[in-house]
Amino acid sequence: MPFQARTIRLPCSSYLALPGEAFDFGVTFSFAFAFALGFGTTVAEPALIAVTEEAARIMAIEGVIVDEPSVCRRYAIALRYTVAASVGTAILVGVLRILRGWSLPAIIISGYVTVVVLTAFAPKWIVGIAYDSGGVTTSTVTVPLVTALGVGLAMNTPGRNPMMDGFGLIAFASISPMIFLLIFGMVV
């Protein structure tokens, strides 16, 4: 199905409008919103903050980075923002998947194949952190907001089924940090 949307309807909370109302947003704004939602919720994830700070501390002990507080802090922030960018990108791709009707299993399988291939080339010290980051990004802050976005978008997109098309964004948010951090480990 060709992608022809000029606007995207997102449902509103009853606090913002009458129940059942929706606002029409331009596609560009909707993609920017999807990225910002994924990025913002991930940066605020308490579990991710804890994991990246601990990872930086261990990296300093192991000699991967210089053992100075400012270096550890910058490294933890770099890890956190890399993961946040990956989740923002994943949510944007997920929104595009809902709009275009792309196959969820095909994208998920290709994502995991990518993770396996990158694991073979990534430095061993980043692999565990990359894998754990996929789990900590799908926690208390991200899941409710991202799920609401996916289901709401599917409900308001003609030809989409909320059960079939609205879910899956969380799976993208789990795979993308692994991919981005494995690449981060190869580049940094």
Side-chain angles (χ1 to χ4, degrees):
M1 173 184 210
F3 180 64
Q4 300 177 9
R6 298 269 189 266
T7 62
I8 296 174
R9 292 183 67 76
L10 294 175
C12 298
S13 162
S14 60
Y15 297 107
L16 298 176
L18 297 173
E21 275 192 33
F23 290 126
D24 290 333
F25 294 106
V27 174
T28 302
F29 174 82
S30 298
F31 288 156
F33 177 79
F35 180 85
L37 180 72
F39 186 92
T41 58
T42 303
V43 164
E45 250 342 313
L48 180 63
I49 294 167
V51 166
T52 56
E53 288 175 356
E54 186 64 16
R57 189 180 73 75
I58 298 300
M59 294 289 182
I61 291 170
E62 293 296 318
V64 176
I65 62 174
V66 176
D67 191 3
E68 291 178 13
S70 63
V71 174
C72 289
R73 195 171 22 263
R74 282 195 309 269
Y75 190 79
I77 289 170
L79 288 173
R80 197 162 127 216
Y81 284 144
T82 300
V83 172
S86 75
V87 174
T89 302
I91 303 307
L92 191 148
V93 169
V95 165
L96 191 56
R97 180 197 71 83
I98 291 169
L99 296 174
R100 302 273 320 215
W102 293 339
S103 168
L104 177 62
I107 296 171
I108 297 296
I109 291 168
S110 64
Y112 278 114
V113 168
T114 303
V115 168
V116 170
V117 170
L118 288 173
T119 299
F121 299 102
K124 299 305 175 214
W125 52 264
I126 196 73
V127 173
I129 297 166
Y131 282 27
D132 284 351
S133 72
V136 299
T137 58
T138 53
S139 192
T140 56
V141 178
T142 307
V143 171
L145 295 171
V146 170
T147 301
L149 173 68
V151 171
L153 181 59
M155 287 175 64
N156 288 282
T157 301
R160 298 293 173 259
N161 178 325
M163 284 302 298
M164 301 294 292
D165 300 309
F167 292 95
L169 294 178
I170 301 303
F172 290 169
S174 294
I175 294 171
S176 65
M178 291 186 270
I179 294 170
F180 276 53
L181 282 186
L182 291 169
I183 294 169
F184 175 88
M186 290 186 274
V187 171
V188 172

